Amino acid sequence: MTHPELSVTQARRITLAAQGFTRPRPGAQGLTVSAVHLNRVIERLGFFQIDSVNVLVRAHYMPMFSRMGAYDRELLHRASGAHQRSSAGREPRRLFEYWAHVAALVDVQLWPAMQHRMASGHGMWGGMRRVETEQPDLVERVYAEVAERGPITARQIEVDTERDRSQWGWNWSQAKVALEYLFYVGRITAARRNSQFEREYDLPERVIPGAILERPAFDDEAAHRYLVEHAARALGVGTVQCFNDYFRMAPEPGRRALDALVADGTLEPVRIEGWKRQAYRHRDAVLPRRVQARALLSPFDPLVFERTRTEKLFDFRYRIEIYVPETQRVHGYYVLPFLLGDRIVARVDLKADRTKRQLVVQGAWAESHAPDDTAEQLADELELMARWLDLDSVSPPLKGDLAAGLTSVLARR
């Protein structure tokens, strides 16, 4: 059977539309970004990936900025903070923390679909499995502490238990492991993160809206089908590997879910020029005639976090170099792709110097297909980001083939 064929440009534009890059950005036009805008992005993406690196701004804040422009981060705090009943003048929480792609703030509507992961333990680390079987009394004691004292941090709850120093960078007590186990299986959840970015644990019934908790959990088949469909809708078009990666699902259940979605017409098999693997397009995906986007992207944005897909769609090879020794880095520590139109045309290594109130551009590089106005457009976006982060200026880049052009543009402003 012959399937419809898409060019890479068409597949890229479908993806950008599905990811929300074809709508005007109110926060880039001086308009107020509201909870309505936030809710639309949450529904579209499903989650905001969390990362602890704060050299620029924490990763979960960036997808909203990329799609909506400058916005009040309190919107996200309220959406992911302790549940407030609407009668108290606030909307119920919209996000809860869990393992989606990886650690993420997840759309609360996905709680019933995530319960299959809680029940199955898919992806659970070995230490968590061991604490369940080897120290069940500790698990129950930690649970009781959260029930009595929550919201509470791991630091507040840790007891005098043996620490495992066997792996570099980890120094978890057994109480912390027990907390993580309880968090993974859904017996406890995170009420919020505090100013030190520590989880504050509490019981789900004190965090998740009651109307959500009352919904029946999806069984394994229904959960995979729901999540694969969500991923396909969020990406517009892709392979089964793309869709499985979005929520980090096991290959075989994801394949079975995809086959069912093809059978009922939700997904249409297509061919993408130059791609060896079979691709599928969501029935609601749109193909815009043109895309006029402009955005800096977090390394953990759903548009680019699957690096092979990013390279195939955008002809853009992207690797994050946070964990690479400084002398071996090619572009820098915290490098953001720059989307212009329907292409990724440049990358910039950024740092927020909060003492000097500067957005520091440590390096800037252009792609071979970057248009002539890339430096001008990038300068506009950097200045928008500086205002959003309450910084007073943008410092010119010190290195990169785009440094001279960007420095010249910034000097004229």
Side-chain angles (χ1 to χ4, degrees):
M1 179 179 178
T2 302
H3 299 306
E5 182 165 336
L6 299 171
S7 68
V8 173
T9 298
Q10 288 174 319
R12 188 167 62 240
R13 289 176 180 172
I14 288 170
T15 295
L16 288 166
Q19 283 278 298
F21 286 101
T22 54
R23 294 174 175 266
R25 296 192 299 165
Q29 301 170 353
L31 303 175
T32 300
V33 177
S34 69
V36 172
H37 297 109
L38 174 63
N39 288 340
R40 286 175 183 165
V41 176
I42 292 171
E43 290 169 6
R44 183 183 295 275
L45 301 184
F47 61 84
F48 301 136
Q49 184 170 330
I50 294 172
D51 187 77
S52 60
V53 175
N54 198 27
V55 66
L56 177 66
V57 62
R58 295 199 193 277
H60 57 283
Y61 295 116
M62 275 296 298
M64 269 294 290
F65 173 73
S66 300
R67 290 157 180 80
M68 292 293 161
Y71 72 100
D72 184 354
R73 280 173 281 173
E74 277 301 312
L75 281 175
L76 201 57
H77 296 163
R78 291 196 294 270
S80 58
H83 172 57
Q84 299 286 336
R85 297 182 184 277
S86 56
S87 60
R90 293 185 181 179
E91 292 297 318
R93 89 156 43 221
R94 289 290 286 113
L95 296 161
F96 73 101
E97 187 172 340
Y98 194 62
W99 297 95
H101 180 73
V102 289
L105 293 174
V106 185
D107 185 349
V108 75
Q109 302 296 326
L110 293 177
W111 176 270
M114 286 295 166
Q115 285 181 281
H116 88 285
R117 185 166 294 178
M118 299 172 187
S120 70
H122 169 70
M124 188 186 291
W125 308 323
M128 287 191 280
R129 293 186 186 278
R130 287 193 298 274
V131 78
E132 173 195 16
T133 56
E134 297 174 7
Q135 296 179 282
D137 290 345
L138 173 64
V139 170
E140 294 308 316
R141 187 172 46 171
V142 169
Y143 176 81
E145 285 286 307
V146 174
E148 181 181 347
R149 300 170 57 196
I152 188 171
T153 66
R155 208 156 33 89
Q156 292 171 306
I157 205 172
E158 277 186 327
V159 293
D160 187 15
T161 53
E162 183 180 351
R163 292 176 180 267
D164 177 7
R165 301 175 185 271
S166 62
Q167 296 190 42
W168 178 87
W170 295 88
N171 189 21
W172 281 11
S173 71
Q174 289 304 299
K176 171 66 173 174
V177 176
L179 275 170
E180 288 299 310
Y181 164 75
L182 289 165
F183 176 81
Y184 201 99
V185 300
R187 290 184 63 191
I188 65 173
T189 189
R192 55 185 168 261
R193 294 265 183 160
N194 65 17
S195 58
Q196 288 77 45
F197 206 56
E198 298 169 300
R199 282 192 193 125
E200 295 189 359
Y201 298 92
D202 209 339
L203 302 183
E205 53 265 36
R206 297 201 289 247
V207 174
I208 306 299
I212 300 294
L213 285 178
E214 290 169 4
R215 296 178 186 173
F218 292 6
D219 64 25
D220 187 73
E221 181 180 345
H224 279 90
R225 184 165 173 165
Y226 186 90
L227 293 173
V228 169
E229 191 275 333
H230 193 298
R233 184 161 29 89
L235 295 174
V237 66
T239 65
V240 64
Q241 290 80 12
C242 297
F243 302 154
N244 279 344
D245 178 76
Y246 200 82
F247 286 104
R248 292 286 168 90
M249 290 179 286
E252 283 308 310
R255 163 59 71 180
R256 290 194 297 270
L258 182 139
D259 289 342
L261 291 165
V262 171
D264 73 10
T266 301
L267 299 182
E268 175 192 19
V270 295
R271 294 178 58 218
I272 300 176
E273 178 188 6
W275 288 32
K276 295 180 180 179
R277 289 175 169 169
Q278 178 67 59
Y280 304 85
R281 175 176 174 171
H282 194 281
R283 65 184 173 195
D284 296 335
V286 297
L287 171 56
R289 295 184 64 180
R290 60 185 304 190
V291 175
Q292 295 179 293
R294 192 189 76 196
L296 288 163
L297 304 169
S298 160
F300 309 105
D301 193 288
L303 183 66
V304 296
F305 61 35
E306 210 296 290
R307 308 304 192 210
T308 300
R309 175 185 168 88
T310 300
E311 190 164 352
K312 287 181 175 294
L313 274 180
F314 291 94
D315 190 24
F316 182 78
R317 191 177 189 278
Y318 182 44
R319 300 292 184 272
I320 190 164
E321 298 179 90
I322 290 173
Y323 305 109
V324 175
E326 185 174 0
T327 56
Q328 298 176 27
R329 291 178 194 145
V330 176
H331 294 108
Y333 180 79
Y334 203 73
V335 177
L336 278 65
F338 179 50
L339 174 69
L340 186 62
D342 65 1
R343 304 293 302 274
I344 295 175
V345 301
R347 67 187 87 201
V348 282
D349 183 17
L350 298 180
K351 174 183 177 180
D353 188 327
R354 296 169 180 90
T355 301
K356 296 181 179 179
R357 299 181 63 83
Q358 281 188 333
L359 179 60
V360 180
V361 185
Q362 304 194 105
W365 293 263
E367 296 298 294
S368 60
H369 53 261
D372 293 340
D373 65 342
T374 295
E376 290 276 355
Q377 296 280 356
L378 178 56
D380 287 343
E381 194 65 18
L382 290 168
E383 289 177 343
L384 177 66
M385 174 175 273
R387 292 194 296 273
W388 175 53
L389 297 179
D390 197 27
L391 303 173
D392 294 334
S393 62
V394 179
S395 73
L398 301 176
K399 59 183 178 180
D401 57 19
L402 192 56
L406 185 56
T407 297
S408 177
V409 170
L410 291 170
R412 296 197 302 267
R413 300 189 173 197

